Each structure stands twice: as C-alpha cells, then as structure tokens.
Amino acid sequence: STALDPRDPLGFDDLLSDEDLAVRDTVRAWCADRVLPHIADWYEAGQLPTVRELARELGSIGALGMHLHGYGCAGATAVQYGLACVELEAADSGLRSLVSVQGSLAMYAIHRWGSEEQKQQWLPGMAAGEIIGCFGLTEPDHGSDPASMRTNAKRDGSDWVLNGRKMWITNGSVAGVAVVWAQTEDGIRGFVVPTDTPGFSAPEIKHKGSLRASVTSELVLDNVRLPADAVFPEVRGLKGPLSCLNQARYGIVWGALGAARSCLETAREYSITREQFGRPLAGFQLTQAKLADMSLELNKGLLLAWHLGNRMDAGTLRPEQVSYGKLNNVREAIEIARTSRTILGANGISFEYPIMRHANNLESVLTYEGTVEMHQLVIGKALTGQDAFR
Ligand code: FAD
C-alpha cells in the first residue's frame, strides 16, 4: 500500500463528496492567488488595503452567505461552508473573520429575522460583496454579558432613535450596513442601520497585536434616526443575536483548524530540512512527539467539525454542541500554533513564516464568539443543570 499522506493521515477526504472537494479547491485556489502573496505585508502594515475588492471577489466565488438560500446566496451545505472556512483561515484568520461576519452574522441576521423588504433590499448586494456588513453586539463595558448592553433605541413618532456605542466590531469602518442590537422598552431588538445615516460613525481601532489584517472598529450611534421598518419585526431578547453567534461559532469550529493546519505543515516541512546535531529536527523523538500530538489534535478536530456539520445539515445541531466544537478546536489550534512555533526556533517568531501571525490571530479567535470560559459555562450548565454565569 502507498505511504500515509501526512496531510490527511486519517483519510478525511474520503468523507467528502465531489462537490465538497470542488468548493474547497475553489476557495483554496483563490486564497493562494489573491491572499497568500500579500498577507504577511498586510499583516505587518495592520491593513487590509483591498478589502472592497476582496469582498467582491469572495462574492463572485459564492463565499458570502454561502450556506444561506435565495437572495443571491450560494445555498451550499454547512459542511461545504466549513471547508471554505478552513481554507480562508489557513490563509489568515482575518479573511475568515471578514467572511464569517458578512455571512454568518450580518447576512444571517437579516435572512433569519429580517422582513421580506429588508431581505430584498440588502441580501443580494451583500452576497455579491458589493455591500459589506457588520454586526454590533459587544460594547466597551459589556462583552461576555451582552444582556446588560446600554445602547438603546427609543420611539419618536413612528421613527426609532438609536444612541450608544459598540466596540470591537469587525468590518465596522468599511461596512455599508450595520446590524445593531439595542435595548428597547420591549427588550433587546435588532436594527438594520445604513452606515451613511447621520449620527453613525465607525472609527477604526488601531494598535492591535492580533487580527491585524482585519478591520476592527468602534460604532458610535449619536441620535441615529431610523424609519419604523428598520427593526427586525419579530425577534425580541438575546435569542436574536445568539442565533447568529451560533452560526458564526460553527464556522470557527472549522476555520481555526485551517490556521492550525498551516502551522503544523510549516513546522513539519521545516523539521525535515533543518539540521542540528548532525541530523534533521524531524529525526529527534521529542520533535516527533510534538508532530504526532499536533497531527492527532488537528485530525480529531476535523472529525468533530465534520460531525457537527452533518448535524447542522440535518437540522439537529444544538448550540451546546457548537460550544464543544468552538472550545476544543480553537484551544487545540492555538496549542498547535505555539508548539509549531517551538519547532522553528528563532525563525518561528519571524513573519517570514506564517506561524506567529496565526498564533497571534488565534488569541482573538479564542476570545471572540464566546471566550473559553463562556463555552465551559455553557457546557457546564448542560451537564449539571446549574447556571454558573452569574
Ligand atoms: P469580558 O467579557 O470582559 O471578559 C474578560 C474575561 O473574563 C474573559 O476571559 C471572560 O471569559 C472572563 N469572564 C467574563 N465573565 C465571566 C464569568 N461569568 N465567569 C468566568 N469568567 C468570566 N463583537 C461583536 O459584537 N461584533 C464583532 O464583529 C466583533 N469582532 C471582534 C473582533 C476582534 C478582533 C475581537 C478581539 C473581538 C471582537 N468582538 C466582536 C468582541 C468579542 O465578542 C468580545 O471581546 C468577547 O465577547 C469578550 O468580551 P470582552 O472582551 O468584553 O471580555
């Protein structure tokens, strides 16, 4: 028999259909062509200079709102969407974040909770990447506990008037539309805010040490006046935003493994060519133990992602199950990044190699979409029936 493929030791690809493989190859080729040659420079510069062009290209390959149906969306399976996330994040977590926020947060919110008019107005342009969306839930003083948010929307005649601040909002400064969650006298509700509305501004957050090739912004809402039909008609309370987070977390379950794959592959190849003490690093047992453990966790994570993907496609995926995936796969991905870094020694800290960039990015991925602790509390509650959040 042929040698085991070090890039697919468990035969994961055998689980995938021809269509799945085609989606993966399309996104992988796009990343290789349009992202990988530039990403290290963008990262060092702390910019995504061609973000609008990238968004349109991602739209043209069907990657925006990929798993949604109708309104110009690709209607792919959850597994296919996951495979796309792996490829995007193998390039950079910032690219995957752009796509996650667009498709799983902003577009999903409108698709799931919007009126027919809201869907027709926004979704086709967003699917095409002509309109970038953002999703404003987190505030400067309210992150893990969004129920305590201060941003509010009050009625003035039939209009709504929004005031408040959102923080750490991906795509904020480049968005044409913002989905903003705010307190109303009826509880938390979602608003579709065109970003050219007077009183809306989105200053970019600088000096990030992570996700540097991603736009992150503050949203300032200063008497932003919206018509009556700017609100999501039905949904009230945290159920609205949490339903969207569940979608984005699902993508991260897959995506984080892309960053891990890039790190492990870099370390494996490096260990084979780099010699110390007269032989390749790969020939030392301690290096092999690292490579074996990393490969094990990467491939276990893929099988977990695949399992959750099939449940999502079958309509049986529970939010607590997404917590298992997000917690495990991001935590293992960052561990793989750090261990890979050690194999490269000093070269591991250089941006000439992708590892340090991925490791830094994964710090954000570990925190956003529910921190490790929040997912432990979700799982803890599911296991015990005890709510330990407050
Ligand atoms: P806090 O909630 O203050 O938590 C700080 C620490 O305390 C964490 O370790 C947390 O786990 C722990 N902690 C809190 N409560 C408890 C508890 N009860 N028990 C034990 N430990 C606890 N938000 C958006 O709305 N939209 C976006 O597009 C978006 N993009 C982001 C992009 C980046 C690069 C980053 C870094 C963040 C982004 N976020 C976004 C915000 C992100 O979702 C929040 O940072 C996250 O929810 C955590 O909130 P916090 O930073 O306020 O931390």
Side-chain angles (χ1 to χ4, degrees):
S1 72
T2 52
L4 196 74
D5 178 356
R7 292 184 183 80
D8 184 18
L10 299 184
F12 179 77
D13 286 5
D14 296 345
L15 298 170
L16 305 177
S17 70
D18 289 347
E19 268 169 78
D20 296 345
L21 293 169
V23 167
R24 185 175 77 180
D25 290 347
T26 300
V27 180
R28 186 180 289 182
W30 181 81
C31 290
D33 183 34
R34 302 292 295 132
V35 180
L36 291 181
H38 313 290
I39 187 64
D41 291 339
W42 294 339
Y43 197 90
E44 276 205 73
Q47 284 172 352
L48 203 48
T50 54
V51 58
R52 288 173 202 287
E53 209 177 306
L54 292 171
R56 277 193 296 272
E57 291 178 20
L58 284 162
S60 74
I61 62 170
L64 303 178
M66 185 175 206
H67 61 312
L68 302 177
H69 291 265
Y71 307 96
C73 303
T77 65
V79 168
Q80 288 163 0
Y81 175 49
L83 292 167
C85 288
V86 174
E87 297 309 317
L88 292 163
E89 196 147 358
D92 192 87
S93 303
L95 257 290
R96 202 268 308 134
S97 298
L98 167 68
V99 169
S100 287
V101 169
Q102 178 82 354
S104 290
L105 293 179
M107 291 176 71
Y108 179 84
I110 295 170
H111 196 273
R112 175 76 180 80
W113 303 114
S115 65
E116 190 53 40
E117 293 72 30
Q118 288 167 341
K119 293 184 208 186
Q120 287 185 11
Q121 183 180 354
W122 296 106
L123 291 177
M126 294 175 84
E130 278 149 21
I131 304 168
I132 296 176
C134 70
F135 184 90
L137 180 65
T138 304
E139 301 189 348
D141 296 329
H142 306 281
S144 299
D145 178 22
S148 305
M149 72 171 66
R150 299 283 301 280
T151 298
N152 61 80
K154 296 206 164 82
R155 286 278 193 185
D156 182 29
S158 69
D159 287 354
W160 290 97
V161 179
L162 271 64
N163 279 290
R165 277 170 70 200
K166 297 290 178 183
M167 195 64 183
W168 299 110
I169 306 306
T170 303
N171 297 348
S173 314
V174 293
V177 62
V179 171
V180 174
W181 300 92
Q183 299 281 2
T184 72
E185 58 185 21
D186 265 355
I188 291 170
R189 298 187 72 180
F191 294 82
V192 184
V193 185
T195 56
D196 58 3
T197 311
F200 181 97
S201 58
E204 192 169 345
I205 297 173
K206 298 287 186 187
H207 311 296
K208 289 180 298 176
S210 171
L211 277 193
R212 291 178 56 77
S214 173
V215 175
T216 317
S217 314
E218 182 182 349
L219 306 184
V220 180
L221 299 129
D222 182 11
N223 284 317
V224 172
R225 181 174 289 273
L226 300 171
D229 62 5
V231 70
F232 291 145
E234 302 298 339
V235 70
R236 305 277 193 287
L238 271 190
K239 176 179 163 203
L242 289 183
S243 68
C244 307
L245 296 181
N246 201 48
Q247 298 287 313
R249 287 167 182 173
Y250 166 77
I252 293 171
V253 171
W254 288 89
L257 300 175
R261 183 187 80 193
S262 168
C263 293
L264 172 55
E265 203 37 40
T266 303
R268 190 182 67 82
E269 286 169 8
Y270 187 91
S271 73
I272 292 168
T273 54
R274 168 81 173 175
E275 291 190 4
Q276 289 294 291
F277 299 98
R279 64 169 139 142
L281 298 177
F284 297 111
Q285 292 183 351
L286 293 174
T287 310
Q288 292 198 0
K290 291 178 188 174
L291 293 170
D293 286 349
M294 290 193 285
S295 176
L296 187 62
E297 290 306 334
L298 175 61
N299 288 286
K300 276 157 70 181
L302 276 174
L303 291 172
L304 174 57
W306 188 74
H307 172 66
L308 298 182
N310 284 315
R311 289 189 75 89
M312 184 171 257
D313 280 324
T316 57
L317 182 63
R318 298 179 54 94
E320 298 91 334
Q321 294 168 338
V322 176
S323 286
Y324 274 81
K326 203 275 182 181
L327 173 57
N328 183 76
N329 286 9
V330 183
R331 194 163 59 183
E332 295 304 332
I334 204 166
E335 201 53 43
I336 289 171
R338 290 170 180 161
T339 304
S340 296
R341 212 289 302 156
T342 68
I343 292 178
L344 271 75
N347 278 327
I349 70 140
S350 169
F351 285 147
E352 298 287 324
Y353 292 90
I355 296 178
M356 199 70 193
R357 179 165 55 77
H358 286 306
N360 288 349
N361 282 339
L362 288 167
E363 295 290 344
S364 289
V365 181
L366 201 63
T367 289
Y368 69 21
E369 292 294 341
T371 62
V372 166
E373 294 76 15
M374 290 305 113
H375 291 296
Q376 288 173 322
L377 292 175
V378 168
I379 294 170
K381 183 178 168 192
L383 295 178
T384 65
Q386 304 279 324
D387 183 338
F389 282 89
R390 57 186 78 243

